Amino acid sequence: MVLRDLSSEILNSDMGSLAFEMQPSVTEIYLALGLNESRKRVIVIPRVLSLLSSFLERSVQKNEKLLESMNHKDMVTVFHGLRAPTLSIRQYIDRIFKYSNCSPSCFVVACIYMDRFLQNGDLLLTSLNVHRILITSVMVAAKFIDDAFFNNAYYAKVGGVSTAEINRLEMKFLFSLDFRLQVTIGTFERYCVQLDKEATGRYHIERPIQFCGLKENRQIIEESKGAATV
């Protein structure tokens, strides 16, 4: 279900520690996914973003075909919109990366949170809920692993929702996770390996979780006219 193709292998992981010695193969996978740079030094779009968006898009397509074949309507939650946003998942992820100043690793942690959320709520990822779940998971990930982060009003503008709505989404998300935000190195590694398999089918990524950083000249989004809404 939903992100289960990743979690089926991940749930059997051993508990790791932040002092865990990285194995060469995992180091290569980190490099391949573009997780070796801090956010302020990132120039090109990290490969992990395209892999994550591709995986989410295929999950959405699969789930919606399943719902259609079963002639069954998905359960409506606070994360559901009335219609699918005009921005594709890839465009939305690129937008979040551009303005949130998160490191690429934030998106791996967000993927882990999304998986936990969907499993705990027994939900299917669809075109009506994926954008809100995505911006919420990235915001929560940034707050948890960053030394510095933006306020909810800023993330709301990045995500194209109101501040009141992002507050509601965050609370629902956190309670659904039972506030379990800790991610072990073992779990992080396994999600990275599975994301790498998503594209290449072979093990090919630097250091453990890289903390996100904010640029010194914080860019406040002033594009209300062109801002996407979800």
Side-chain angles (χ1 to χ4, degrees):
M1 246 176 109
V2 203
L3 301 183
R4 304 291 168 81
D5 11 4
L6 277 185
S7 61
S8 59
E9 295 189 28
I10 306 248
L11 292 177
N12 296 321
S13 64
D14 296 327
M15 298 297 285
S17 70
L18 291 178
F20 184 75
E21 185 69 25
M22 303 301 296
Q23 297 298 320
S25 60
V26 177
T27 298
E28 291 173 2
I29 294 175
Y30 281 171
L31 290 169
L33 293 185
L35 304 190
N36 58 310
E37 299 287 349
S38 64
R39 178 61 180 95
K40 63 179 62 179
R41 288 162 48 197
V42 172
I43 300 176
V44 299
I45 300 297
R47 180 166 168 265
V48 66
L49 301 187
S50 63
L51 295 181
L52 178 59
S53 62
S54 173
F55 181 77
L56 294 178
E57 286 167 356
R58 290 198 300 104
S59 296
V60 166
Q61 292 173 1
K62 179 181 177 181
N63 291 334
E64 291 186 337
K65 285 183 180 179
L66 176 64
L67 290 171
E68 184 179 356
S69 65
M70 296 174 60
N71 196 24
H72 179 72
K73 290 187 177 180
D74 191 22
M75 179 176 62
V76 177
T77 70
V78 295
F79 292 88
H80 283 70
L82 295 177
R83 62 185 64 85
T86 56
L87 281 182
S88 68
I89 295 175
R90 177 59 194 271
Q91 291 173 322
Y92 198 60
I93 286 180
D94 286 348
R95 175 182 172 83
I96 294 172
F97 178 74
K98 178 179 180 180
Y99 293 114
S100 69
N101 289 317
C102 278
S103 72
S105 297
C106 264
F107 290 85
V108 179
V109 175
C111 178
I112 296 170
Y113 289 167
M114 289 177 71
D115 209 6
R116 291 177 181 176
F117 172 76
L118 293 166
Q119 290 188 65
N120 290 347
D122 197 26
L123 298 175
L124 288 174
L125 201 65
T126 71
S127 58
L128 297 181
N129 63 24
V130 60
H131 292 73
R132 285 177 172 82
I133 294 176
L134 186 55
I135 185 60
T136 306
S137 63
V138 172
M139 180 181 73
V140 171
K143 287 183 177 184
F144 188 69
I145 71 174
D146 279 1
D147 291 328
F149 47 83
F150 292 114
N151 59 30
N152 283 21
Y154 184 90
Y155 290 110
K157 200 163 189 177
V158 172
V161 297
S162 68
T163 302
E165 183 173 10
I166 200 73
N167 290 340
R168 289 195 300 270
L169 297 176
E170 181 183 33
M171 291 307 297
K172 178 63 176 179
F173 193 81
L174 290 171
F175 275 102
S176 295
L177 292 183
D178 198 23
F179 291 85
R180 294 189 308 108
L181 302 180
Q182 186 66 41
V183 175
T184 67
I185 289 300
T187 297
F188 184 82
E189 288 174 3
R190 285 167 176 79
Y191 272 82
C192 288
V193 169
Q194 292 303 311
L195 284 172
D196 189 57
K197 283 182 179 180
E198 168 74 10
T200 65
R202 52 192 171 85
Y203 288 2
H204 259 212
I205 205 184
E206 161 204 8
R207 291 176 276 179
I209 297 177
Q210 296 251 341
F211 296 123
C212 310
L214 299 180
K215 294 181 179 179
E216 293 183 4
N217 57 333
R218 297 187 179 186
Q219 184 177 9
I220 303 300
I221 301 177
E222 297 288 355
E223 38 182 309
S224 56
K225 290 185 179 180
T229 58
V230 298

